[in-house]
Amino acid sequence: MKIAIVTADDFGVSVEVNAAVEQAHREGILTVTSLMVTGAAAMDAVVRAQRTPTLGVGLHVALAETPPALPPEQIPDLVDDAGQFRIETLPVALALVGKASVRRQLEAEIDAQFALFEATGLPLDHVNSHKHMHLHPVIAATLLKVGKRHGMTKVRAPVEPRDVLAQFEKATGLHIAKPFAQRVQGQMRRGGMKVPDHTFGLAWSGAMHTERLRGVLRHLPEGVSEIYLHPATAHYPLSAPTYQYEAELAALLDPVARDIVSDNHITLARFADL
């Protein structure tokens, strides 16, 4: 059996993203999205999700780019003087390993983001993290610990089979995330979480245009696969300049993609359906 969970990340970061997510679910093959609870348009996203109950909504734990859920003074080691996250810097990454006080701040911040999601009243479909930051072993362990307290049962591990992509287009660049993703996949499964067998979107992040999405669907392996994209109706203040947001929205709305799903007997699903 081939099951595809088609995800849009960054729900709540902007109205442009929110509008694309809603359209891609209503008119295309999108099945779930991941909410940034501290995003500038988070409340707009929640309203759209509430009127679209068939859309699965998960938590996109954000430890970069968007504001923290907690006041900066409560997580001083995780933010800079402007109160913005600096977890991506090497000193903080090392401090998470070596200092219990920093790990406690991380746990408090992740807990606060789960609490904000619970306050929306939306069912928790799944959990992942912005920029895959839960590939860091301390962040993964903390996410598992906190998530269990909040009813988390499904998690993304971006284990992308490059051999599948090579059947229709060779993906360039190093695949350095694979061993970390495999470790997270095993860790989460041992912790009782359901994790897809395969994830597509890492090699072509921000560039999953129509032909690439068609290719993934045509060559989808057996089992449960997550395909994640970043659709938006236009660029927005926090958007990446190289990302093809509108092209990814077009890929999700592509009628040929829907035909491929049908012809290949692929079941479109939410994480909650697993």
Side-chain angles (χ1 to χ4, degrees):
M1 180 177 290
K2 297 180 180 181
I3 297 174
I5 299 169
V6 186
T7 309
D9 282 351
D10 301 341
F11 194 45
V13 73
S14 73
V15 172
E16 291 84 356
V17 171
N18 298 350
V21 169
E22 185 174 16
Q23 182 182 6
H25 177 67
R26 292 184 182 277
E27 303 173 19
I29 64 170
L30 187 75
T31 60
V32 306
T33 189
S34 308
L35 176 65
M36 299 175 98
V37 291
T38 62
M43 290 311 300
D44 174 79
V46 171
V47 171
R48 292 175 189 268
Q50 288 172 337
R51 69 187 184 212
T52 317
T54 54
L55 175 67
V57 182
L59 172 61
H60 197 50
V61 174
L63 301 172
E65 297 182 347
T66 58
L70 292 176
E73 58 270 19
Q74 293 185 26
I75 49 171
D77 293 301
L78 304 183
V79 297
D80 58 22
D81 292 340
Q84 301 298 308
F85 280 123
R86 58 188 184 97
I87 295 177
E88 292 178 281
T89 64
L90 182 59
V92 180
L94 295 175
L96 285 171
V97 177
K99 295 184 178 181
S101 60
V102 180
R103 292 194 293 274
R104 286 193 293 270
Q105 292 174 42
L106 175 71
E107 180 176 343
E109 172 61 28
I110 293 177
D111 187 81
Q113 292 192 26
F114 270 96
L116 285 176
F117 187 95
E118 289 174 351
T120 69
L122 297 170
L124 180 63
D125 182 76
H126 63 278
V127 178
N128 56 43
S129 67
H130 189 49
K131 305 179 81 170
H132 306 301
M133 291 187 70
H134 68 298
L135 295 186
H136 187 296
V138 172
I139 297 177
T142 305
L143 180 63
L144 182 58
K145 176 184 178 182
V146 176
K148 282 185 172 182
R149 295 203 298 256
H150 291 272
M152 178 181 79
T153 58
K154 288 96 175 175
V155 185
R156 172 191 294 165
V159 180
E160 186 170 54
R162 289 288 180 93
D163 58 326
V164 173
L165 305 183
Q167 293 181 58
F168 59 95
E169 181 184 344
K170 184 174 177 59
T172 59
L174 296 175
H175 193 18
I176 59 175
K178 185 175 181 179
F180 299 97
Q182 289 174 326
R183 181 183 182 278
V184 168
Q185 187 182 60
Q187 178 184 14
M188 293 297 172
R189 285 177 172 172
R190 289 190 298 273
M193 302 294 110
K194 292 183 178 179
V195 184
D197 303 303
H198 325 282
T199 299
F200 296 95
L202 193 65
W204 297 319
S205 185
M208 187 70 83
H209 53 60
T210 298
E211 288 301 321
R212 286 173 172 164
L213 182 56
R214 289 177 183 176
V216 171
L217 291 170
R218 286 191 179 109
H219 296 89
L220 199 72
E222 295 288 326
V224 179
S225 298
E226 181 186 9
I227 308 169
Y228 73 91
L229 300 90
H230 300 84
T233 57
H235 276 69
Y236 52 93
L238 285 177
S239 62
T242 61
Y243 271 36
Q244 303 171 28
Y245 297 99
E246 292 163 276
E248 294 204 351
L249 173 58
L252 291 166
L253 298 172
D254 175 32
V256 175
R258 186 174 290 281
D259 290 342
I260 295 169
V261 168
S262 177
D263 293 344
N264 289 272
H265 308 290
I266 297 170
T267 300
L268 294 178
R270 301 168 300 180
F271 280 86
D273 299 322
L274 298 181

